[in-house]
Amino acid sequence: MKITTTTALATLMALGIATAAEAEIKIGATVSATGPASFLGDPEAKTLEMLVEEINAAGGVNGEPLKLVLYDDGGDPNKARTFATRLVEDDEVVAIIGGTTTGTTMSIIPVAEDSEVPFISLAGAIEIIDPVKHWVFKTPHTDRMACQKIFENMKKNAITKIGVISGTDGFGASMHKQCVAVAGDYGIEIAADETYGPQDADMTPQLTNIKGTAGVQAVLNAGFGQGPSIVTRNYSQLAVGLPLYQSHGVASDGFIELAGAKAAEGVRLPGTALLVSGILADGDAQKAVVNAYKTAYEKKTGSAVSTFGGYAHDALRILVDSIGRAGSAEPEAIRDAIESTSGLVGTTGVVTMSAEDHLGLDLSAFRMLEIKDGGWTIIE
């Protein structure tokens, strides 16, 4: 599936932007708009299309319109790699946005590195940017950061012994690894450790094992997709009665809907300012940006904004800002400008990158949230 977003020639001429195709700045994207990760990729695709329209209507970048070449990889890493290759070799884009999941992102990275085209990932695993890769950047917080934010909250609440349940997919396995690696830094012991597969429809046995482990004070689910909603429902059915923490991979209203508001009550997780835009303080640096995006997206699509669309918002804004500052649409100039991004306010945080940091966010970009009465509240 391929979707191409362009602005009509008449509109371009009216704006005085361009009269020839060669004046366009071609950017590529491959996201999981359909398939098991569509709840992530669909808002990403819609966000990219919406923003390209807005940017072109406002005059483009350096006086030239953007042309978005967008593919739907369905969450299949092989398709993602094929589409990334096509974007570079056939479509001749100057940069790539995408990789909705860790799996699809990891398949795109070699293409970007070999072709020397900047790539901004929309996935969470720390391996994407650690170690730093010359042409690769990303917008979501890393899974290690999510573990650290969760463990900070546990430490504040005197929680020292926990049970962990993780998905065996790329995201779940990576976050599990990172949480195990940093738990000791916060004085936390993992006393029970269970897993579930992407197709599992009942996690009651694993949760029963955790519930029966002596001394466990809370449970952490490292996962994304539908698995965490099943965990949450089973957890409620078992009346475990301990705090349940989820990953930033389910930070959306869709998770509450899938799990059910009653079952999700009290669930804690690290999320972005976008989820709590309506209750941000007036002096919050992100308030204007997140509210502008939320308003525009919901008006354009008729659906609620999501954290995941916010990742795409930030990726495109970083890319456009970089092209503008570089004064060039050459891949190497864009890459250098992305790496020098400083103080760019996005939906996910305030981004300042460097040669050593291709994410540009710290823990302050995360908000610790809790689900109450079917909605989100800030607990720190």
Side-chain angles (χ1 to χ4, degrees):
M1 176 182 174
K2 174 182 175 182
I3 312 164
T4 303
T5 300
T6 59
T7 301
L9 180 60
T11 303
L12 295 179
M13 293 176 67
L15 290 170
I17 297 171
T19 58
E22 62 266 20
E24 295 172 327
I25 299 172
K26 295 178 72 173
I27 58 175
T30 174
V31 299
S32 307
T34 60
S38 61
F39 72 101
L40 309 171
D42 178 65
E44 292 169 354
K46 289 175 179 174
T47 294
L48 292 173
E49 292 174 316
M50 179 187 78
L51 292 180
V52 166
E53 289 179 8
E54 288 181 359
I55 290 164
N56 286 339
V61 184
N62 295 338
E64 296 181 358
L66 298 178
K67 180 178 180 180
L68 175 66
V69 184
L70 175 63
Y71 292 100
D72 172 17
D73 56 48
D76 183 332
N78 291 324
K79 287 184 179 179
R81 185 185 179 100
T82 297
F83 289 144
T85 302
R86 187 181 300 175
L87 285 168
V88 173
E89 295 182 357
D90 299 338
D91 301 313
E92 299 181 335
V93 300
V94 299
I96 299 172
I97 292 172
T100 295
T101 68
T102 296
T104 55
T105 285
M106 298 309 287
S107 72
I108 295 168
I109 286 175
V111 177
E113 289 284 292
D114 292 345
S115 304
E116 299 185 345
V117 171
F119 168 43
I120 305 178
S121 168
L122 309 179
I126 192 170
E127 286 87 356
I128 296 165
I129 46 88
D130 184 8
V132 170
K133 301 165 187 67
H134 191 69
W135 295 91
V136 180
F137 305 83
K138 76 187 210 74
T139 54
H141 309 83
T142 68
D143 41 14
R144 177 176 291 180
M145 293 169 68
C147 297
Q148 291 169 326
K149 192 71 176 182
I150 289 168
F151 291 154
E152 276 188 356
N153 184 263
M154 288 183 176
K155 188 173 182 178
K156 282 185 179 180
N157 288 281
I159 294 170
T160 59
K161 193 172 184 179
I162 68 170
V164 172
I165 182 168
S166 311
T168 56
D169 61 294
F171 179 95
S174 179
M175 185 171 175
H176 174 270
K177 177 182 176 181
Q178 298 306 319
C179 285
V180 169
V182 301
D185 297 342
Y186 297 85
I188 291 172
E189 174 192 352
I190 297 174
D193 200 346
E194 300 282 342
T195 61
Y196 56 86
Q199 305 304 318
D200 289 357
D202 182 14
M203 287 62 150
T204 301
Q206 297 97 312
L207 292 171
T208 299
N209 289 341
I210 293 174
K211 183 180 180 181
T213 301
V216 167
Q217 298 167 281
V219 178
L220 166 59
N221 177 201
F224 94 111
Q226 296 190 18
S229 65
I230 298 170
V231 168
T232 301
R233 290 197 298 271
N234 292 160
Y235 199 83
S236 175
Q237 291 160 359
L238 286 171
V240 177
L242 300 172
L244 174 61
Y245 290 80
Q246 295 281 2
S247 80
H248 60 314
V250 298
S252 73
D253 290 339
F255 165 70
I256 300 176
E257 293 171 9
L258 281 172
K262 184 177 180 181
E265 182 75 10
V267 168
R268 302 172 186 172
L269 56 83
T272 68
L274 189 58
L275 279 180
V276 288
S277 58
I279 57 175
L280 293 176
D282 288 339
D284 193 293
Q286 291 180 260
K287 186 170 185 175
V289 171
V290 298
N291 279 308
Y293 169 55
K294 175 181 169 66
T295 299
Y297 182 88
E298 293 181 351
K299 180 179 179 181
K300 179 74 174 179
T301 67
S303 55
V305 76
S306 83
T307 298
F308 314 110
Y311 297 154
H313 170 282
D314 291 2
L316 188 63
R317 290 300 181 190
I318 289 168
L319 179 56
V320 167
D321 173 71
S322 298
I323 295 172
R325 286 187 290 106
S328 168
E330 292 298 318
E332 186 170 0
I334 295 170
R335 191 222 75 88
D336 292 348
I338 294 173
E339 192 174 78
S340 66
T341 298
S342 180
L344 187 146
V345 181
T347 67
T348 308
V350 180
V351 180
T352 297
M353 295 196 191
S354 69
E356 295 77 33
D357 182 1
H358 280 195
L359 169 64
L361 299 172
D362 60 24
L363 284 185
S364 68
F366 260 140
R367 316 295 169 111
M368 200 64 203
L369 309 178
E370 184 173 320
I371 299 170
K372 289 188 178 180
D373 300 323
W376 302 97
T377 59
I378 303 173
I379 56 176
E380 64 177 46

